[in-house]
Amino acid sequence: MEIRVTEQDGINILSLSGRMDATTTPEFESAGRALLAEGKMQLVVDMADLEYISSAGLRGILGLVKAIKTA
C-alpha cells in the first residue's frame, strides 16, 4: 500500500492506494497517529485508489477515528 499525505486548506489528506490488509494497516496507523501527534486533527482519508481493504484495515480506520475523538 502507498500512503501520500498532502494538505489542502488546513486539512490533511491521507491518500491510500493498493491493498490495505493486516500487513499494511500498521503503516496507515503510524501515519495517522504521527499527524495527530503534530496536532493535526482535521483528516480526510481518500480511498479512491484503494483496491482492497480487509477487516484489519477497517479496524485501523476505526482506531484512527477513535484517536481523533479522544484528542
Side-chain angles (χ1 to χ4, degrees):
M1 177 176 67
E2 181 181 334
I3 301 173
R4 285 176 283 122
V5 180
T6 57
E7 186 175 338
Q8 183 177 351
D9 299 325
I11 298 173
N12 289 279
I13 303 168
L14 285 98
S15 300
L16 310 177
S17 60
R19 299 175 56 89
M20 187 173 186
D21 54 24
T23 305
T24 57
T25 297
E27 180 182 351
F28 166 77
E29 292 171 330
S30 294
R33 291 190 190 275
L35 290 171
L36 293 180
E38 295 174 13
K40 299 177 180 179
M41 301 296 169
Q42 294 185 343
L43 304 177
V44 171
V45 179
D46 178 4
M47 296 184 279
D49 293 327
L50 201 60
E51 298 170 7
Y52 171 82
I53 185 167
S54 70
S55 59
L58 293 173
R59 279 191 303 274
I61 292 171
L62 181 59
L64 183 59
V65 169
K66 288 181 180 180
I68 291 170
K69 286 183 179 181
T70 300

